[in-house]
């Protein structure tokens, strides 16, 4: 047998095990109920077998068989939970490595900023922003049309202007504070220092994302010690594209960006 066919069969077995484990885990309550029911039937069969002589051996055999089935069901449930836990740990480890690799250049650039002069720090900030967006694009590459953008808040606090973006080709626009105190989701999120996640802009009357080519986004404030510096956004054309894990990765990236912005803002 060739090495290719062996590897194919091995991969197929692993896929079958993963499918079985996922389905048993999904229906773990039903399996547990079935285990209890079968165990109860086994007990009833044993009790009847001891009381009815003519049915003694058949019912005794049935109770033994049902007891074995109950044990097998319980073992299957335990195996599925173990496989599920292993899969979750493996996925978490892979995500950790991916985030580390994707954002390492950002951390390396930030490490250069404390020793740099004012002009060089400003230049490094632009490089940090570009590396952050490209790193997020790679981490979210499975999302069709994804784009990451870093915005900087102007001195007046009325405009968020993009300084770097990576992903979908259309250039991001500028956020300007609405006149007359009208509701402004971007600036409200920045003022409250809270992440805003919109799974579908069509369900939000104050949103106009479809005008700019996206249906879903997460906007993460870039803030240090209550001082707002800007915003990190990730968006995509398809609604409900971002998971809670994706948002957590974006929030971690925004924390790195906050350090870079604070360094760039230093007077010396």
């Amino acid at each position: 047998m060739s090495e290719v066919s062996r590897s194919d069969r091995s991969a197929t077995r692993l896929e079958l095990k993963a499918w079985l484990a996922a389905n048993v885990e999904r229906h773990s309550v039903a399996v547990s109920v079935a285990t209890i029911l079968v165990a109860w039937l086994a007990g009833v069969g044993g009790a009847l077998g001891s009381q009815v002589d003519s049915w003694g051996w058949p019912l005794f055999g049935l109770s033994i068989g049902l007891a074995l089935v109950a044990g097998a069901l319980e073992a299957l449930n335990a195996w599925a939970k173990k496989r599920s836990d292993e899969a979750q740990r493996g996925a978490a480890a892979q995500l950790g490595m991916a985030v580390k690799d994707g954002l390492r250049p950002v951390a390396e650039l930030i490490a250069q900023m404390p020793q740099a002069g004012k002009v060089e720090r400003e230049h490094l900030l632009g490089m940090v922003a570009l590396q952050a967006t490209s790193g997020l694009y790679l981490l979210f590459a499975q999302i069709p049309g994804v784009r990451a953008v870093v915005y900087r808040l102007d001195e007046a606090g009325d405009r968020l202007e993009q300084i770097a973006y990576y992903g979908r080709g259309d250039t991001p626009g500028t956020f300007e504070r609405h006149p007359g105190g009208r509701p402004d989701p971007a600036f409200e999120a920045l003022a409250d220092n809270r992440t805003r996640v919109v799974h579908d802009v069509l369900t939000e009357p104050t949103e106009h994302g479809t005008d700019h080519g996206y249906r879903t986004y997460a906007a993460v404030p870039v803030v240090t010690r209550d001082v707002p510096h800007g915003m990190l956004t990730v968006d995509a054309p398809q609604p409900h594209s971002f998971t809670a894990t994706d948002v957590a990765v974006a929030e971690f990236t925004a924390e790195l960006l906050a350090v870079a912005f604070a360094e760039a803002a230093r007077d010396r």
Side-chain angles (χ1 to χ4, degrees):
M1 185 182 298
S2 67
E3 292 295 328
V4 174
S5 61
R6 285 198 191 96
S7 62
D8 288 343
R9 290 189 179 185
S10 177
T12 301
R13 285 195 295 270
L14 288 174
E15 291 175 0
L16 286 173
K17 287 181 179 179
W19 175 85
L20 178 61
N23 278 275
V24 173
E25 179 72 11
R26 190 178 302 116
H27 301 95
S28 60
V29 173
V31 173
S32 296
V33 171
T35 303
I36 295 170
L37 179 60
V38 171
W40 178 78
L41 289 173
V44 170
L48 286 175
S50 64
Q51 294 176 12
V52 183
D53 293 337
S54 60
W55 291 359
W57 283 110
L59 286 176
F60 180 74
L62 177 63
S63 66
I64 294 295
L66 289 173
L68 291 174
V69 171
L73 286 173
E74 186 59 32
L76 181 63
N77 213 3
W79 172 82
K81 187 178 186 307
K82 180 181 178 183
R83 287 282 303 185
S84 178
D85 291 344
E86 290 174 350
Q88 290 178 2
R89 287 195 296 270
Q94 289 181 351
L95 176 62
M97 289 298 296
V99 171
K100 179 180 177 181
D101 292 341
L103 299 180
R104 180 186 288 118
V106 175
E108 291 174 349
L109 287 169
I110 292 174
Q112 301 176 30
M113 297 183 75
Q115 294 79 32
K118 181 70 175 175
V119 175
E120 188 179 356
R121 290 201 307 273
E122 191 68 25
H123 174 67
L124 286 169
L125 175 63
M127 295 176 63
V128 167
L130 183 58
Q131 286 288 351
T133 56
S134 62
L136 284 177
Y137 175 77
L138 292 175
L139 288 169
F140 299 159
Q142 79 282 359
I143 301 175
V146 70
R147 179 181 63 178
V149 189
V150 175
Y151 293 91
R152 188 173 197 173
L153 185 66
D154 70 351
E155 292 185 2
D158 294 327
R159 289 169 58 91
L160 285 165
E161 300 176 338
Q162 66 91 6
I163 61 172
Y165 74 97
Y166 207 95
R168 199 174 63 255
D170 47 324
T171 303
T174 298
F175 289 100
E176 296 190 23
R177 193 183 296 275
H178 294 167
R182 289 190 294 121
D184 196 317
F187 286 94
E188 287 175 358
L190 187 59
D192 296 339
N193 191 16
R194 59 177 174 79
T195 299
R196 178 174 174 81
V197 181
V198 175
H199 294 292
D200 189 349
V201 298
L202 295 184
T203 64
E204 300 287 337
T206 59
E207 298 290 345
H208 305 285
T210 50
D211 300 339
H212 305 289
Y214 60 85
R215 283 277 300 274
T216 185
Y217 75 85
V220 188
V222 178
V223 177
T224 54
R225 297 185 182 88
D226 296 326
V227 177
H229 300 290
M231 186 84 72
L232 169 67
T233 68
V234 288
D235 59 63
Q238 298 298 321
H240 300 276
S241 292
F242 299 108
T243 66
T245 300
D246 297 332
V247 175
V249 171
E251 289 174 335
F252 174 71
T253 306
E255 291 179 7
L256 292 176
L257 285 166
V259 176
F261 272 102
E263 281 294 327
R266 282 195 301 115
D267 292 333
R268 292 185 294 175

